[in-house]
């Protein structure tokens, strides 16, 4: 899985890129913070998407960014 903000702070910024992962966790464990910003491009997941499951997380799509699951 792709883990952004697992046990601390994490940020992923993609401008027109292609990201592929089985799962995405944005802000996973208590006390952590995750931020993902996707401008254009795409995010393709073969599994689950979790945002702020047990902590703080944001997922921002701008400029035609897409998510495929």
């Amino acid at each position: 899985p792709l883990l952004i903000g697992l046990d601390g702070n994490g940020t992923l910024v993609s401008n027109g890129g292609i990201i592929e992962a089985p799962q995405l966790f944005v802000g996973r464990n208590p006390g952590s913070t995750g931020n993902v910003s996707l401008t254009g491009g795409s995010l393709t997941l073969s599994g689950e998407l979790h945002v702020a499951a047990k902590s703080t997380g944001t997922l921002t799509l701008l400029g035609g960014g897409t998510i495929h699951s």
Side-chain angles (χ1 to χ4, degrees):
L2 182 56
L3 305 163
I4 309 299
L6 174 65
D7 286 316
N9 298 328
T11 299
L12 171 65
V13 177
S14 178
N15 294 305
I18 297 171
I19 301 169
E20 297 178 348
Q23 294 176 308
L24 173 60
F25 291 88
V26 184
R28 177 67 173 107
N29 293 330
S32 64
T33 300
N35 297 294
V36 173
S37 177
L38 179 64
T39 302
S42 65
L43 168 63
T44 301
L45 303 172
S46 57
E48 299 174 342
L49 169 64
H50 298 266
V51 178
K54 297 179 183 177
S55 62
T56 303
T58 60
L59 173 62
T60 305
L61 300 175
L62 301 168
T66 60
I67 297 177
H68 305 276
S69 178

